[in-house]
Amino acid sequence: MSGADVAIVGGGLAGITTALALQETGIRTTIYEARPRLGGATHSFTRGGLTVDNGQHIFLKCCSAYRGLLQRLGATDRVRVQDRFDVPVLTPDGGGGRLRRAKAPGPLHLLPALAGYRLLPPADRLRAVRASLALDRLDPDDPALDRFGMGGWLAAHGQRPRAREALWELFVTAALNIRLDEAALGPAAMVCQTALLGRSDAADIGVPAIPLGDLHGTVAAAEIKRGGGRIELGAKVQAIDAGPKLVVNGAPVTADAVVVAVPHRVASSLVPEEASPERAKWDGLGSSPIVNVHVVYDRPVLRVDGRDEPFAAAVGSPVQWVFDRTEVSGLSGGGQYIAVSVSAADRWIDTPTAELREVYLAELERLFPAARRARVTDFFVTRERHATFRQSPGSGALRPASATRLPWLYLAGAWTDTGWPDTMEGAVRSGLTAARLVRRHLRQVRTDEVSGR
């Protein structure tokens, strides 16, 4: 297999992972990326002396594959992970609560957090515990769950509107990038079981300590090249034919195997029909947008109960999650740069920046009193129209496996059937699966050559 060449179409997390996993076994890889950078949906740019991520991306301790990628990159010291899950939850009226896990085995670790969660009345806290136990008994891999919505299931299990908004929506919308009432029950149950009801430290939150353009771009590129891999940027793959053969920027390229690691809307037109006769159905996965509102203040504002926080969540507000981006962006001089991450942002994706400024600055002042006394030195918005596929009922049946009908062609990407939602973890898992299948195919080819078949 050491003499094999594998072409990887797409330099996002799925493609990066595929390349690294194959190179570890001596297989030569080339990534063809149409953009001038690696990183896919996670990237950075500069603005006014700041390094800005296009959006705030987090991971949890239960994201074992993504954490494995960080180890492959030698970058475990370039992220920060909570010692214990701890999230302040704010409301515009000045009320709030805090969800903090106890040092107890799962799922008991969250019982004290629920018992003391001030945003829910005691009766709803008890109902939440009962719903959690019922949710833990579901099988997320059961195809039948793909037909139902999470919101309806929770309502049927005693979760009243306030509990759905102040507890369940808080996590499901952030994880699946879709509103609770529209979210498919299967992936929503999987997220809750794995992150909230599983191992006690599973939901501890990790954030990058360096810009994503460095972590998933510069660092990843250096590691791939160190392992002997090639990266072709600005290289648009226009066709894939038998051979295997690719057409890259109008020129033919041969390979021993091909991994297509691009979004579903691109893959559906690139993958040959004989490889995936159902490819037209991939467009049915649709897309769900994320909007990030970036605000630079002349002083720190992200304070809760007199304490500086790295992030906070909000309910009853257009603000969903707020992150302190000051240090990672390189801002100095005593100001603070915060990013508001708005998932399932259909309402805001086409809203003019001026209107978003009016809405979100007012909301931030309601949530953070210090913002009322601060001066805004910069305000801008980033929009990801196709941030994820729309993880609604029926979407699970549209997600393809990595293997296709052509033995040398494989799919990767968080939209494929990874068993996880469309997240960084899902993308990395898809790359690992594709690499495993490529290795198996190349071993079989080598065996056939040796035996003369």
Side-chain angles (χ1 to χ4, degrees):
M1 291 194 299
S2 61
D5 286 290
V6 177
I8 300 169
V9 185
L13 290 180
I16 290 168
T17 302
T18 305
L20 291 171
L22 288 174
Q23 288 174 194
E24 289 175 352
T25 57
I27 298 173
R28 293 193 299 263
T29 64
T30 301
I31 291 179
Y32 297 96
E33 170 55 58
R35 287 171 284 201
R37 55 170 176 78
L38 294 184
T42 63
H43 60 93
S44 308
F45 59 94
T46 58
R47 177 186 171 98
L50 302 181
T51 302
V52 178
D53 288 347
N54 67 308
Q56 178 65 52
H57 293 265
I58 70 168
F59 64 96
L60 307 179
K61 273 190 182 173
C62 62
C63 296
S64 57
Y66 178 74
R67 293 171 66 199
L69 173 62
L70 293 177
Q71 290 178 337
R72 280 187 165 96
L73 296 176
T76 54
D77 61 340
R78 305 198 182 181
V79 297
R80 297 192 184 97
V81 184
Q82 288 180 313
D83 294 330
R84 185 190 305 191
F85 175 79
D86 186 2
V87 178
V89 186
L90 310 178
T91 61
D93 61 7
R98 185 175 287 270
L99 291 169
R100 186 171 190 262
R101 72 170 174 88
K103 292 183 178 180
L108 301 178
H109 62 298
L110 287 180
L111 290 181
L114 283 175
Y117 191 39
R118 292 180 296 169
L119 294 185
L120 295 183
D124 279 344
R125 299 174 202 172
L126 180 59
R127 291 189 184 98
V129 172
R130 291 172 178 166
S132 297
L133 295 175
L135 190 66
D136 201 31
R137 291 193 291 269
L138 295 178
D139 178 7
D141 294 327
D142 182 354
L145 299 191
D146 189 42
R147 301 196 300 267
F148 302 99
M150 180 65 165
W153 186 92
L154 287 170
H157 286 77
Q159 301 305 284
R160 297 188 293 192
R162 179 59 176 172
R164 296 202 298 274
E165 177 189 33
L167 181 63
W168 300 102
E169 180 96 46
L170 194 68
F171 298 106
V172 171
T173 296
L176 300 186
N177 191 28
I178 192 168
R179 289 292 181 183
L180 187 67
D181 289 338
E182 301 175 59
L185 178 56
M190 182 269 167
V191 165
C192 292
Q193 287 181 6
T194 304
L196 301 178
L197 304 174
R199 202 180 63 227
S200 61
D201 64 349
D204 296 353
I205 297 173
V207 296
I210 63 174
L212 292 171
D214 293 336
L215 184 62
H216 298 157
T218 306
V219 173
E223 187 63 22
I224 290 170
K225 291 176 181 178
R226 191 185 69 81
R230 295 174 57 230
I231 300 171
E232 299 289 342
L233 301 177
K236 182 176 177 59
V237 176
Q238 296 149 318
I240 299 173
D241 299 313
K245 182 175 70 175
L246 298 83
V247 179
V248 183
N249 291 344
V253 175
T254 60
D256 295 295
V258 178
V259 176
V260 176
V262 295
H264 65 86
R265 61 189 181 278
V266 180
S268 63
S269 60
L270 190 60
V271 171
E273 184 176 6
E274 61 268 30
S276 297
E278 303 294 311
R279 63 179 186 169
K281 293 184 178 180
W282 300 346
D283 291 341
L285 289 169
S287 61
S288 189
I290 292 178
V291 167
N292 283 269
V293 174
H294 307 259
V295 189
V296 182
Y297 291 99
D298 66 348
R299 68 194 70 184
V301 301
L302 213 169
R303 297 180 63 84
V304 180
D305 297 329
R307 185 171 110 184
D308 292 327
E309 296 284 355
F311 50 78
V315 297
S317 169
V319 174
Q320 295 175 9
W321 287 79
V322 185
F323 296 85
D324 180 9
R325 301 286 305 167
T326 306
E327 183 178 350
V328 70
S329 71
L331 178 67
S332 59
Q336 186 172 43
Y337 162 27
I338 66 172
V340 181
S341 182
V342 184
S343 300
D346 301 81
R347 175 184 174 187
W348 306 108
I349 189 65
D350 292 314
T351 302
T353 298
E355 184 177 339
L356 290 172
R357 179 185 178 109
E358 181 178 354
V359 170
Y360 278 89
L361 289 185
E363 287 295 325
L364 289 168
E365 289 182 6
R366 295 174 69 190
L367 294 169
F368 303 103
R372 303 166 195 167
R373 301 183 296 274
R375 180 171 61 89
V376 175
T377 62
D378 197 7
F379 180 98
F380 56 100
V381 177
T382 53
R383 309 168 197 255
E384 296 293 331
R385 189 174 297 275
H386 305 290
T388 66
F389 72 87
R390 190 168 290 272
Q391 297 170 91
S392 55
S395 61
L398 301 177
R399 301 175 71 178
S402 180
T404 71
R405 295 191 181 186
L406 294 177
W408 46 265
L409 181 62
Y410 302 89
L411 305 175
W415 60 278
T416 62
D417 188 9
T418 65
W420 275 70
D422 189 339
T423 57
M424 294 195 300
E425 175 72 6
V428 173
R429 285 175 178 257
S430 77
L432 294 174
T433 297
R436 175 175 54 81
L437 294 175
V438 167
R439 288 194 299 267
R440 186 174 68 182
H441 165 67
L442 295 177
R443 280 196 300 267
Q444 185 61 52
V445 170
R446 180 58 55 86
T447 300
D448 291 346
E449 289 175 347
V450 171
S451 63
R453 287 186 292 191

